[in-house]
Amino acid sequence: MKDEESDNRLGAYLRARRELVTPEQAGLPPGGNRRVPGLRREEVALLAGISPDYYLRLERGRDKNPSVQVLEALARVLRLDDVERTYLLGLAAARPRAPRRKRPEHVPARVHQLLAHLQIPAFVEGRAFDVLASNPMAVALSPRLRPGENRLRSLLLDPEERAFHEDWARATADFVAALRTTIGDDTDNPRFVELVGELALSSQRFRTLWARHDVRGLDGGTTTVHHPVVGELRLHRDKLPVDDVILVVYYPDKDSDSDEKLRLLAALSHSGADGTTGPAQDGTADATRG
């Protein structure tokens, strides 16, 4: 990610968000001959109460120290939510730092033991959505949750993921936005550079979403998936930080239809009738990606 965008992250973010706000949303007449999507620079400046020249300097990276008041005004004009506003403020506050020492992501032994005892799909992921460890129920839910897989890569490049997720478009948008949030100012992290580079080359969907500069958290929530054996499952998702990694669990409402199907999936998984090749391993080796 050592490119113009990484050198001028504030300007790139402002430009991307400006292009997503329509004149109508900003209370301006649409006009007939607009050469750019979204708002013009001078329109953003006018609505934010700053000079067009100053806003141009911000977008082009010639002024990297705007006041909080200016950023709050820009956040209002660009219709940023709380997560996006915080991200914008963080971009302006970022300062040069010493290179971070790469440290392998480590799954504590106690978490491996916990995975072995959980009777619901559970796995451990790293900051770049690498699956570091998983239990048999996670693999029964999706073989893309085996250790060594990358959740975002699978989501974008594995055709089975389109059928698996009820709303694949939303899932991809959420994951890409969460990745950008996670990266933050750690733009020289080798794992992030590798993953973003791979997906930028291989996925048009990723390139489109990455250019939007969306940011959001990907924590708890509810999702609906379509399992090839037991059918539709409505599952809650929780993410629990454990040291430097994240424990992810999926679970249904108690005594619901999805609860019954998940118990059926557990029985099929134990017998090997779910299509898996045997008991899933929970990842005995620590990931070396940092």
Side-chain angles (χ1 to χ4, degrees):
M1 283 176 283
K2 285 293 183 182
D3 52 19
E4 182 180 353
E5 176 184 315
S6 62
D7 291 336
N8 181 23
R9 294 170 58 230
L10 174 61
Y13 187 66
L14 290 173
R15 183 168 56 253
R17 304 315 297 179
R18 168 171 63 84
E19 293 176 350
L20 295 175
V21 180
T22 66
E24 293 88 345
Q25 288 175 323
L28 298 172
N33 297 311
R34 303 185 68 89
R35 294 180 298 173
V36 296
L39 297 177
R40 301 184 179 102
R41 291 189 183 95
E42 58 268 24
E43 291 171 335
V44 174
L46 172 67
L47 293 169
I50 59 179
S51 73
D53 179 67
Y54 180 59
Y55 180 77
L56 180 62
R57 295 204 306 272
L58 288 177
E59 270 205 11
R60 292 186 174 176
R62 297 203 297 264
D63 188 325
K64 298 185 179 181
N65 296 286
S67 68
V68 173
Q69 290 79 6
V70 167
L71 293 173
E72 293 282 7
L74 290 172
R76 172 180 52 78
V77 173
L78 299 176
R79 303 172 64 86
L80 303 186
D81 61 23
D82 288 343
V83 173
E84 294 163 341
R85 171 184 162 278
T86 300
Y87 183 80
L88 174 64
L89 294 172
L91 289 178
R95 294 292 183 267
R97 55 177 175 77
R100 296 177 182 174
R101 185 177 180 182
K102 181 181 178 182
R103 182 174 64 177
E105 292 180 318
H106 173 76
V107 181
R110 69 183 188 280
V111 176
H112 285 290
Q113 297 175 7
L114 175 60
L115 288 173
H117 283 84
L118 289 175
Q119 300 302 307
I120 55 176
F123 60 95
V124 176
E125 68 180 17
R127 294 179 64 210
F129 299 120
D130 294 309
V131 180
L132 307 178
S134 59
N135 68 359
M137 278 302 297
V139 179
L141 179 66
S142 170
R144 278 87 62 190
L145 293 179
R146 293 184 186 278
E149 298 283 345
N150 179 271
R151 298 184 68 206
L152 182 55
R153 185 185 187 281
S154 297
L155 185 63
L156 288 164
L157 302 182
D158 192 324
E160 293 184 5
E161 285 287 287
R162 283 181 176 266
F164 184 72
H165 290 272
E166 181 180 62
D167 193 342
W168 179 84
R170 178 174 180 177
T172 54
D174 286 346
F175 264 82
V176 172
L179 178 66
R180 186 176 282 282
T181 307
T182 299
I183 289 176
D185 65 350
D186 197 11
T187 56
D188 59 354
N189 182 295
R191 179 54 184 144
F192 291 143
V193 172
E194 175 190 24
L195 181 62
V196 171
E198 176 191 6
L199 295 177
L201 289 173
S202 55
S203 171
Q204 176 61 52
R205 175 65 175 166
F206 178 81
R207 292 193 294 272
T208 299
L209 292 171
W210 194 249
R212 289 175 55 92
H213 285 248
D214 289 334
V215 290
R216 66 180 65 109
L218 188 58
D219 301 316
T222 302
T223 186
T224 299
V225 298
H226 297 279
H227 192 276
V229 176
V230 299
E232 181 178 295
L233 292 166
R234 185 176 185 273
L235 301 172
H236 304 298
R237 176 189 66 238
D238 276 315
K239 289 192 169 190
L240 310 172
V242 181
D243 295 345
D244 295 330
V245 296
I246 301 293
L247 173 65
V248 185
V249 294
Y250 283 91
Y251 56 95
D253 288 328
K254 185 174 176 58
D255 298 326
S256 64
D257 181 62
S258 293
D259 191 12
E260 294 180 8
K261 290 180 178 178
L262 205 61
R263 288 198 295 268
L264 173 60
L265 182 61
L268 294 174
S269 173
H270 185 73
S271 67
D274 65 333
T276 59
T277 56
Q281 301 299 314
D282 66 346
T284 55
D286 295 323
T288 57
R289 296 168 176 169

